[in-house]
Amino acid sequence: MNMQTKAHPQSTGALAVKRNKGGLLARLKEQRLLYVLMLPAIILTLMFSYVPMFGLYMAFINYQPGGGSFFKQFFTTEFVGWQWFEYFFTNGDFVRIMRNTLAQSFLSLLFGFPMPIILALMINELRNGWFKRTFQTVSYMPHFISWVIAANIIITMLSSGGVVNNILTGLHIVNEPIQFMQKGHLFWWIIAFGNAWKDMGFNAIMYLAAISAINPELYEVAKVDGASRLKQMLHITLPSIRPTIIILAILAIGGILNAGFDQQYLLQNNTVMEYSEVIDTYTYKYGLQNGMFSYGAAVGLFKSLVAFVLVISVNQMAKKMEQQSLF
């Protein structure tokens, strides 16, 4: 018995030394089948996420498409450095674009982030299995509707003869219909509620998955101690899914400048353009419609850099405060 006990740590140590000597090549050989399975994903990531990065150089040149070779024109065009970034920061559009982008993103985050959590908690409390599945299915169906259809639904509901105005006039809250889509100060709120309605059910799936991983014995013990369903939710469910909430919060804050393109482009009109123009629609207008490709690339690069800095900063804050982080 003693000989076996002593031999075990020695054999384990010898195996560890053997593995260390092999290094990276040994691990690659040992796990070659796993890397083969990963190969398609690696190739797709390189093709669509890393190879296109050479196009960022366009933000530092004065690129104008012509009839010759793309690569020849791309790499022989005049290098202008930070000119396009300076133009973006100093022209009159910067303050307006950033105001609209930050306001819409903040309102969307304010309403759109807690609503999936609340919805997941509500669905989790349903005890009728058939009704629970039906309610969950109906809640995430709007996510699979294209913004073309969703925008038309929103416009129809907010029109003069739409459901919202009929309810407001029927309850005598207003005397005449409100022209929602023609009032700029209401556009931010329309986008925020539209985003929350469309993605609330789908985002709740991640929280429901986290809730399903909670040990049922915790609820049984809480019931024995006399905890109500509300107390079980507050003291068991929410603390258990807190790591998921923190991770998704980091990702949401990192995308604070990503106010969206489809919903803005489909819902905006000339009367609300002062409040509806965001970075994505601004980049599309100048980069593609006006042919200012280098300027559009510079604005897009600025947005990506801000998102990168925010993700790193919020991740470090979460790591120090909550001991939870993405990396």
Side-chain angles (χ1 to χ4, degrees):
M1 179 69 69
N2 293 334
M3 291 178 64
Q4 293 178 353
T5 305
K6 292 180 179 179
H8 180 71
Q10 291 178 358
S11 60
T12 304
L15 181 60
V17 172
K18 184 179 180 181
R19 287 182 177 176
N20 290 334
K21 286 182 178 179
L24 178 61
L25 292 178
R27 291 198 299 271
L28 290 175
K29 184 178 179 180
E30 181 182 357
Q31 303 175 0
R32 58 186 179 277
L33 294 179
L34 295 177
Y35 285 103
V36 170
L37 292 175
M38 291 173 56
L39 190 60
I42 294 174
I43 293 174
L44 290 175
T45 302
L46 291 174
M47 289 178 58
F48 294 101
S49 298
Y50 288 93
V51 173
M53 282 188 178
F54 86 92
L56 296 177
Y57 180 67
M58 187 182 295
F60 303 95
I61 61 176
N62 187 18
Y63 174 75
Q64 291 295 330
S69 172
F70 166 76
F71 291 100
K72 182 179 179 180
Q73 290 183 344
F74 187 80
F75 291 107
T76 58
T77 304
E78 177 189 4
F79 182 82
V80 296
W82 302 98
Q83 174 181 317
W84 294 117
F85 295 93
E86 294 175 359
Y87 178 73
F88 177 58
F89 296 144
T90 55
N91 68 16
D93 296 329
F94 177 75
V95 175
R96 176 174 60 89
I97 298 302
M98 291 301 296
R99 180 201 64 183
N100 295 340
T101 302
L102 291 174
Q104 293 182 29
S105 297
F106 177 77
L107 290 175
S108 296
L109 187 64
L110 181 65
F111 293 104
F113 188 77
M115 288 179 70
I117 302 174
I118 298 172
L119 179 62
L121 294 174
M122 293 172 58
I123 293 175
N124 184 62
E125 293 300 316
L126 296 176
R127 293 294 176 260
N128 187 300
W130 177 86
F131 181 74
K132 181 178 182 178
R133 291 189 298 269
T134 303
F135 183 78
Q136 183 178 353
T137 302
V138 172
S139 68
Y140 65 66
M141 282 181 63
H143 177 79
F144 299 98
I145 300 175
S146 69
W147 264 110
V148 176
I149 299 175
N152 279 279
I153 293 174
I154 295 173
I155 292 173
T156 302
M157 292 182 64
L158 297 179
S159 63
S160 299
V163 176
V164 176
N165 272 311
N166 289 337
I167 294 175
L168 293 177
T169 54
L171 295 176
H172 303 287
I173 298 177
V174 295
N175 296 325
E176 57 183 18
I178 301 174
Q179 303 296 328
F180 286 99
M181 302 307 300
Q182 297 182 12
K183 296 184 179 295
H185 63 280
L186 296 178
F187 188 83
W188 294 346
W189 299 92
I190 294 172
I191 290 293
F193 282 108
N195 287 332
W197 161 72
K198 195 171 186 301
D199 295 328
M200 175 177 59
F202 185 80
N203 292 336
I205 295 176
M206 291 176 284
Y207 297 109
L208 287 170
I211 292 173
S212 65
I214 301 175
N215 190 348
E217 294 181 359
L218 296 175
Y219 295 102
E220 297 298 331
V221 173
K223 289 179 182 178
V224 173
D225 290 341
S228 63
R229 293 175 67 176
L230 179 60
K231 289 185 177 180
Q232 293 176 38
M233 182 190 303
L234 295 176
H235 299 289
I236 297 177
T237 308
L238 280 176
S240 298
I241 66 173
R242 186 173 63 180
T244 304
I245 295 175
I246 293 173
I247 296 300
L248 295 178
I250 293 172
L251 295 175
I253 295 175
I256 196 71
L257 293 185
N258 189 22
F261 172 80
D262 296 342
Q263 58 269 50
Q264 317 290 340
Y265 188 74
L266 293 167
L267 290 173
Q268 67 180 201
N269 54 71
N270 292 331
T271 58
V272 297
M273 194 63 69
E274 184 68 21
Y275 293 86
S276 65
E277 194 80 280
V278 295
I279 289 181
D280 293 310
T281 56
Y282 183 79
T283 304
Y284 169 76
K285 178 186 296 182
Y286 281 89
L288 295 179
Q289 290 185 334
N290 293 353
M292 300 174 64
F293 297 99
S294 294
Y295 182 55
V299 176
L301 180 57
F302 164 75
K303 172 187 168 183
S304 300
L305 289 175
V306 172
F308 176 77
V309 172
L310 286 175
V311 168
I312 297 297
S313 302
V314 177
N315 184 76
Q316 292 301 318
M317 291 174 58
K319 183 183 294 185
K320 291 181 179 180
M321 296 174 62
E322 298 289 341
Q323 302 299 318
Q324 296 289 337
S325 61
L326 279 172
F327 45 86

